[in-house]
Amino acid sequence: MLMPLAGHAQLWEKARAFVDSHSKKANVDTLYIETPKEPWRISMDSYLSQSDLLMKSTVEDNAMFSDVEGNLECHPRIRTDVSSSVGVRVGYKGLAVHYAHNITGDKGRDLSVSGSGTWYCAHVRLHEFKTKEPQVRYEGKLYLDDDAAPEWMSFTNKWMLSSPIKAKTVVADGYYIFNKRRFSYKAAYRQSVIQRRSAGSWLAGAMFYYSDFRYDNNANAELLLYMNDVGRIKQWQANVGAGYGYNYVPAKGWLISAMAMPMVTVFNRVKSYHFDSNLRQLALDEEEHDIDELQPQDYRISSMGSESMNSRISLNFNARLSITYNWNRYFVNLNGQFYNFNYRHHGNRGRLNDWYANASIGVRL
């Protein structure tokens, strides 16, 4: 037991020595940026978050839907309830680790690690959630009467799933700060330094995004029919962009910070997993059998393999807002972030809007 503990202690000492030596290189205008003498920060967080996933599937004209003429558009929308969570953040100079767990709303959790210096900032966030109640919108020409012509219709139903749709997203973003002597990102979002006077800076940024949406469960065989047999979608995306951030100091101790950055997707790879099912086979054979003959508890799906492709270049958006008040060794902070990502793969496409708002109160030690 002593050797592993000693190894962890040595690793921590090396990491702290690296952070300390890196901090000493800071060359900032002290009239604008103040470095507190206390290196540690501990804060308690109250977290609000929501994920809004919209998937669009075009089911081409086929024999599975006898009451539909032409293509059927299916738009499942997974908008989670606004979830509240509690968490804790521990920071040492420019480094910080944060964990939050949902206490109301949809089940989920958040874990993030961040590091920042005078000229850079980097952040990695893991977000997981699941829901059983997607809103599904249908569009297409439907036969409402056997003796009448088809009519174009658009309607939305809440789909109650027996097995939840599970989602996992990982976002890693980093920014280069051009006005590093007078503008501090970590003053607004990490509270490791204090912005004393207003200043702004142009920013260059890069963002990596990974997502895994899956509903490949026997109980979801009917949803698979409407999603072109796709039961799982993975996406890898890399973005670059440029934007502007501004730290406004209206009075002593106060800081209002905003950042906006349009981003261009330079790499966008999508992998979809396809599934057959006994429900699908019965739907194709409906001239001899009624699809209602099969009960949901008897649904069975089977893998038909996967397919990967590079999606086209798209435009995404990243925005942040923060309000901070510092007094003595204490601080209060409100901050939020909004992400937007898009994907396209054959007849399936979609977008994810993901936002969070965080309120924290902390102390420097």
Side-chain angles (χ1 to χ4, degrees):
M1 289 293 292
L2 293 178
M3 291 185 63
L5 290 175
H8 290 313
Q10 291 177 0
L11 181 62
W12 164 246
E13 287 300 327
K14 290 180 179 179
R16 189 170 68 170
F18 173 80
V19 174
D20 290 342
S21 62
H22 188 70
S23 300
K24 292 178 181 178
K25 298 178 182 178
N27 181 22
V28 300
D29 188 337
T30 55
L31 293 176
Y32 284 79
I33 299 173
E34 175 188 347
T35 302
K37 62 180 180 179
E38 300 88 2
W40 288 93
R41 303 174 311 285
I42 298 178
S43 61
M44 298 299 296
D45 299 81
S46 177
Y47 218 67
L48 294 178
S49 63
Q50 185 179 43
S51 297
D52 184 5
L53 171 64
L54 176 62
M55 299 184 291
K56 300 181 180 181
S57 175
T58 301
V59 183
E60 297 181 354
D61 187 14
N62 55 60
M64 285 197 296
F65 304 104
S66 59
D67 56 347
V68 178
E69 181 180 270
N71 298 338
L72 175 67
E73 293 280 344
C74 180
H75 302 173
R77 185 174 189 178
I78 307 166
R79 177 187 287 175
T80 66
D81 294 334
V82 176
S83 301
S84 61
S85 59
V86 294
V88 61
R89 186 186 304 273
V90 178
Y92 178 77
K93 296 190 176 179
L95 297 179
V97 178
H98 175 255
Y99 177 79
H101 193 83
N102 285 8
I103 55 175
T104 63
D106 292 290
K107 294 181 179 179
R109 60 176 180 167
D110 272 271
L111 174 66
S112 65
V113 180
S114 62
S116 55
T118 56
W119 58 271
Y120 77 94
C121 55
H123 177 248
V124 179
R125 179 192 179 211
L126 166 66
H127 179 47
E128 295 179 340
F129 66 92
K130 55 186 177 181
T131 181
K132 290 184 176 182
E133 300 180 6
Q135 296 278 354
V136 184
R137 179 164 57 92
Y138 307 91
E139 292 182 355
K141 290 185 176 181
L142 278 68
Y143 288 96
L144 303 180
D145 193 312
D146 294 338
D147 299 325
E151 297 182 23
W152 188 91
M153 295 190 65
S154 175
F155 58 95
T156 301
N157 286 332
K158 177 177 284 190
W159 203 323
M160 304 296 292
L161 299 175
S162 299
S163 178
I165 297 175
K166 301 176 182 179
K168 177 190 296 183
T169 63
V170 178
V171 179
D173 53 345
Y175 311 99
Y176 178 85
I177 302 167
F178 288 92
N179 186 12
K180 58 187 178 182
R181 296 194 70 242
R182 295 183 173 181
F183 173 87
S184 176
Y185 176 93
K186 56 185 179 180
Y189 299 98
R190 300 296 172 261
Q191 289 75 53
S192 59
V193 300
I194 299 172
Q195 185 88 36
R196 299 179 62 187
R197 295 186 179 183
S198 301
S201 177
W202 290 101
L203 305 168
M207 179 179 292
F208 174 79
Y209 167 74
Y210 166 78
S211 65
D212 184 1
F213 303 113
R214 60 184 308 175
Y215 40 94
D216 51 340
N217 185 282
N218 288 328
N220 295 334
E222 187 174 0
L223 179 59
L224 294 176
L225 283 183
Y226 289 90
M227 291 302 298
N228 272 332
D229 306 323
V230 174
R232 185 177 187 181
I233 300 172
K234 289 185 177 182
Q235 183 183 14
W236 297 262
Q237 192 177 96
N239 306 270
V240 295
Y244 192 80
Y246 191 77
N247 284 349
Y248 174 57
V249 181
K252 183 179 179 180
W254 286 95
L255 173 61
I256 302 173
S257 179
M259 184 198 78
M261 182 175 293
M263 308 194 85
V264 177
T265 304
V266 294
F267 176 78
N268 195 357
R269 187 167 184 81
V270 180
K271 184 175 184 180
S272 60
Y273 296 78
H274 300 257
F275 295 86
D276 196 1
S277 69
N278 52 0
L279 180 66
R280 178 177 181 271
Q281 293 301 319
L282 195 61
L284 290 171
D285 193 28
E286 63 179 10
E287 291 185 1
E288 297 183 12
H289 300 87
D290 189 336
I291 194 171
D292 293 330
E293 292 177 6
L294 196 62
Q295 298 301 313
Q297 62 268 23
D298 298 321
Y299 293 165
R300 295 293 181 271
I301 67 172
S302 58
S303 174
M304 293 195 296
S306 61
E307 181 182 11
S308 299
M309 69 170 293
N310 292 323
S311 188
R312 66 184 184 182
I313 293 176
S314 61
L315 181 67
N316 294 321
F317 190 75
N318 180 19
R320 285 179 179 260
L321 179 66
S322 172
I323 301 174
T324 305
Y325 179 66
N326 296 280
W327 77 100
N328 298 327
R329 294 187 298 118
Y330 303 94
F331 58 87
V332 175
N333 175 256
L334 299 173
N335 74 80
Q337 184 161 13
F338 173 81
Y339 296 111
N340 167 257
F341 297 101
N342 301 279
Y343 76 87
R344 181 181 294 269
H345 184 260
H346 294 325
N348 295 316
R349 60 194 186 280
R351 62 104 181 103
L352 172 70
N353 291 335
D354 196 349
W355 66 265
Y356 70 84
N358 181 40
S360 63
I361 181 168
V363 59
R364 298 182 180 92
L365 303 172

